[in-house]
Amino acid sequence: MRAIQNFINGASASVSSGRAGVVFNPNTGAQQAEVAFAAAKDIDKAVQSALAAFPGWAATNPQRRARVMFNFKALIEQNMDELAHLLSSEHGKVIADSKGDIQRGLEVIEFACGIPHAQKGEYTEGAGPGIDVYSMRQPLGVCAGITPFNFPAMIPLWMCGVAIACGNTFVLKPSEKDPSVPVRLAELFIEAGGPPGVLNVVHGDKEAVDAIIAHPDIKAISFVGSSDIAQYIYAGGTANGKRVQAMGGAKNHGIVMPDADFDQATKDIIGAAYGSAGERCMALPVMVAVGKKAADEMRERLLVEIEKLKVGISTDPEAQYGPVISAVHKAKVEDYIRIGKDEGAELVRDGRGFKLQGYENGYFIGPTLFDNVKPGMKTYVEEIFGPVLQIMRAETLEEAIALPSQHQYGNGVAIFTRNGRAAREFAAKVNVGMVGINVPIPVPVAYHTFGGWKRSAFGDTNQHGMEGVKFYTKVKTVTARWPEGAQEDSSFVIPTMQ
Ligand code: NAD
């Protein structure tokens, strides 16, 4: 059985805990590897390695740090096929989607290649007589990232790409469900010329996470995962004096206006609802149709497309989506389908009991469609995170805006319309962090910034872009005086620039 180890100081490292987790192949349901779980002692070993590497890396000029990022980018591209197959074998998403996962992370590395420009400070010449003021953005020290199972390449790269480019060193704790790609990325970072200790990977569960929260030498934690854990990490990390950004769950709505291009909206919603088996934080699991005509027409069109969907193993080039991550998660999603029916939503298409020939033990769920879903329902309030699309019906744009605005989550939202005025009003008023206008999955490009609102994010600073640079640096401002002529007397009032 393959054993997945921690990666510390540029090399594989065994753990002291004696604990391990099981890594399954979701296509077959069979165990394919064992992942060693770090205890507090192992986390400390990784932090000590990052701490030792920090002064040298922080003092490396930004252009040299960027050169390592350029090499890292090239190596990820060269290894794209291998990485995508490894990712799919543990996660279950189809190969093309795994490549997309890696590519979106790679785009953050491309952003990080521009760090000499992004990390530049500000300068004011002559702020007073003989006085110049300048500010610099300095790295924090050792930073940690804790990531979810659903984007095992993109999300680690969001975090470590920006943190490391800024001169920090990093300890990554990826999901224990699909831990191999993050280790492979750390190996490629070394190959790219990254010094040992700058990027370390530790595996584990709550024990490892709690050790990260408690460790006095970790200055910042970036977390992405479910909301309750995000809140737990935000509360624990900030109580220990750390800077924390913690992204949580989601329930993204797609509003379809009566004037929308229904053909395009159908294609977009099908892809965004069922792609990656609905296991994306920017998936579109709720469609809100405005007006009965839009709702009825969209329902018919969605059903036609659902019938054409091919669910298959992750290496099947014709499959649109693969299995969900685990047997436990499959049971949870199927339970939500039962609850949805029990609480009175109309189950139009039931994906439970789906079996793929030859892969009967795989964690597959067929595409599921509900209509007449209502705001108070448990299956509407909570995140299902599976291939389940819920149709809601609104009479007006205002009613449609109110649904995502009042929902506990506020990650992403989309509107499908030909009316610029309605789109503009929607974007301005909706109480959600990321908005798509005729774009079903509005994940911002790497040089902009990613982050939701309400229970979708705890903390003030988003992922990547300039917000990422802000998160991973602290500002120091210098006021310098080189006066000409006579000395001044002591002053006992606050200095002002009169
Ligand atoms: P999860 O919260 O179960 O796990 C995330 C991380 O937290 C993992 O590394 C895990 O080991 C750790 N963890 C789990 N339980 C813990 C506990 N009790 N104490 C301490 N640490 C713990 O999330 P997941 O199932 O891996 O990922 C899916 C979730 O992530 C969904 O809710 C999804 O919406 C969310 N997500 C959000 C975003 C975003 O940017 N907002 C992006 C991707 C995924």
Side-chain angles (χ1 to χ4, degrees):
M1 184 67 57
R2 190 162 62 94
I4 302 161
Q5 300 290 356
N6 291 352
F7 187 82
I8 297 176
N9 207 29
S12 191
S14 54
V15 295
S16 64
S17 70
R19 294 176 63 231
V22 175
V23 179
F24 291 97
N25 179 339
N27 294 293
T28 61
Q31 178 176 0
Q32 59 165 318
E34 192 177 80
V35 56
F37 277 5
K41 234 166 112 181
D42 306 299
I43 300 295
D44 185 54
K45 196 170 150 196
V47 175
Q48 294 313 324
S49 138
L51 208 52
F54 176 66
W57 183 243
T60 301
N61 77 51
Q63 204 151 356
R64 283 183 188 274
R65 281 190 252 126
R67 282 185 196 136
V68 174
M69 289 296 162
F70 274 109
N71 294 341
F72 190 32
K73 162 186 153 56
L75 282 170
I76 295 172
E77 279 166 344
Q78 283 163 28
N79 289 278
M80 179 65 90
D81 275 335
E82 176 219 320
L83 287 165
H85 278 84
L86 189 58
L87 198 160
S88 286
S89 74
E90 292 183 356
H91 178 286
K93 62 175 86 173
V94 296
I95 298 288
D97 200 31
S98 289
K99 288 188 177 170
D101 182 335
I102 300 161
Q103 178 61 32
R104 287 309 295 246
L106 198 54
E107 289 167 13
V108 174
I109 302 303
E110 289 170 347
F111 168 74
C113 290
I115 204 67
H117 180 66
Q119 203 178 348
K120 271 190 326 210
E122 295 174 332
Y123 191 92
T124 301
E125 182 193 15
I131 296 176
D132 303 321
V133 178
Y134 61 95
S135 61
M136 44 189 145
R137 290 204 159 269
Q138 296 189 327
L140 307 176
V142 179
C143 301
I146 301 164
T147 55
F149 79 83
N150 69 328
F151 280 98
M154 177 183 83
I155 294 177
L157 291 171
W158 278 359
M159 298 174 179
C160 72
V162 180
I164 289 173
C166 288
N168 299 285
T169 54
F170 207 77
V171 176
L172 172 68
K173 208 298 288 170
S175 170
E176 65 279 26
K177 297 187 180 109
D178 46 11
S180 290
V181 166
V183 174
R184 194 67 197 104
L185 289 172
E187 288 169 355
L188 292 176
F189 180 74
I190 294 284
E191 217 181 297
V198 170
L199 174 56
N200 306 279
V201 182
V202 292
H203 303 291
D205 54 5
K206 183 170 168 28
E207 189 177 340
V209 170
D210 285 345
I212 289 172
I213 294 173
H215 203 293
D217 290 317
I218 293 176
K219 300 295 178 208
I221 303 176
S222 180
F223 173 86
V224 176
S226 54
S227 290
D228 288 349
I229 312 293
Q231 191 167 15
Y232 171 75
I233 284 164
Y234 184 75
T238 51
N240 287 341
K242 301 183 197 314
R243 195 177 277 192
V244 183
Q245 54 176 192
M247 276 63 193
K251 190 87 175 184
N252 306 319
H253 297 57
I255 314 300
V256 181
M257 295 295 285
D259 67 350
D261 175 341
F262 287 160
D263 266 346
Q264 188 61 51
T266 304
K267 288 181 186 143
D268 287 346
I269 292 170
I270 285 281
Y274 298 116
S276 197
E279 291 174 322
R280 292 185 185 132
C281 68
M282 289 295 275
L284 214 54
V286 179
M287 182 190 84
V288 184
V290 178
K292 185 171 177 347
K293 188 168 167 290
D296 292 345
E297 265 204 48
M298 284 299 293
R299 171 176 160 154
E300 284 315 306
R301 284 168 195 258
L302 287 168
L303 267 171
V304 170
E305 292 303 315
I306 286 172
E307 293 312 320
K308 293 188 215 157
L309 275 179
K310 175 147 196 247
V311 182
I313 57 167
S314 47
T315 47
D316 178 349
E318 277 162 20
Q320 270 113 10
Y321 76 83
V324 297
I325 186 70
S326 65
V328 173
H329 191 58
K330 178 178 161 158
K332 186 173 162 193
V333 173
E334 292 191 337
D335 205 38
Y336 271 124
I337 299 173
R338 177 191 61 76
I339 295 168
K341 198 164 174 241
D342 288 353
E343 63 189 353
E346 182 192 352
L347 183 54
V348 183
R349 179 93 163 52
D350 187 353
R352 288 175 296 177
F354 179 93
K355 289 273 180 238
L356 191 66
Q357 212 186 356
Y359 295 88
E360 285 77 8
N361 294 326
Y363 313 135
F364 296 94
I365 304 172
T368 299
L369 183 68
F370 278 107
D371 196 355
N372 289 303
V373 172
K374 300 280 185 279
M377 292 179 177
K378 180 179 166 70
T379 50
Y380 171 67
V381 173
E382 295 180 9
E383 179 183 42
I384 298 176
F385 223 53
V388 180
L389 175 60
Q390 297 169 295
I391 300 177
M392 301 184 80
R393 291 160 179 257
E395 289 304 317
T396 61
L397 175 60
E398 288 65 38
E399 223 181 278
I401 293 176
L403 285 166
S405 296
Q406 288 166 8
H407 200 279
Q408 61 166 335
Y409 295 119
N411 216 36
V413 70
I415 186 167
F416 299 90
T417 181
R418 289 188 170 98
N419 181 337
R421 178 85 200 107
R424 188 170 182 271
E425 183 181 335
F426 178 79
K429 286 190 179 163
V430 72
N431 185 20
V432 171
M434 292 174 280
V435 180
I437 297 174
N438 298 314
V439 171
I441 305 182
V443 176
V445 290
Y447 45 95
H448 280 257
T449 182
F450 184 104
W453 289 1
K454 298 177 280 182
R455 281 190 66 74
S456 294
F458 301 85
D460 305 314
T461 323
N462 280 356
Q463 301 278 348
H464 63 70
M466 286 312 291
E467 289 264 311
V469 174
K470 276 189 194 158
F471 182 75
Y472 289 113
T473 55
K474 53 192 174 191
V475 180
K476 184 181 282 176
T477 307
V478 180
T479 304
R481 181 167 67 160
W482 300 101
E484 281 182 30
Q487 287 195 348
E488 289 173 19
D489 288 338
S490 304
S491 171
F492 299 93
V493 292
I494 182 92
T496 58
M497 298 299 172
Q498 296 274 339

